[in-house]
Amino acid sequence: MMNFIKNFRNDEDGAVTVDWVVLTAAVVALGGVAYQGISDGASGLADNVDTAMSGTTVTLGSEGALTGGTSSSGS
């Protein structure tokens, strides 16, 4: 019985497994934080593009070329 306790105390296989679990959880958490930051930035950029393009009209010119301009309420 004493040999079993001594061997159990000196065995480090479980400690290595715990280390890998903790490191893997940290990598997954950092990935989630990075995803959230990228998602927020992309949504903000899409909103800015939508705002900038909402007042723009695109028409077909006389020679088939696309022309664009910002609509103004005064003309």
Side-chain angles (χ1 to χ4, degrees), residues 1-72:
M1 184 68 172
M2 287 301 282
N3 284 337
F4 174 75
I5 293 172
K6 287 179 184 178
N7 288 337
F8 182 76
R9 185 179 57 183
N10 293 331
D11 190 12
E12 294 183 6
D13 290 339
V16 172
T17 303
V18 170
D19 289 345
W20 275 106
V21 168
V22 170
L23 287 172
T24 303
V27 168
V28 169
L30 287 174
V33 169
Y35 174 79
Q36 186 65 34
I38 291 169
S39 175
D40 290 345
S43 294
L45 180 61
D47 290 341
N48 291 343
V49 170
D50 179 46
T51 302
M53 292 183 70
S54 64
T56 303
T57 56
V58 178
T59 58
L60 200 55
S62 60
E63 297 180 12
L66 292 175
T67 59
T70 303
S71 62
S72 61

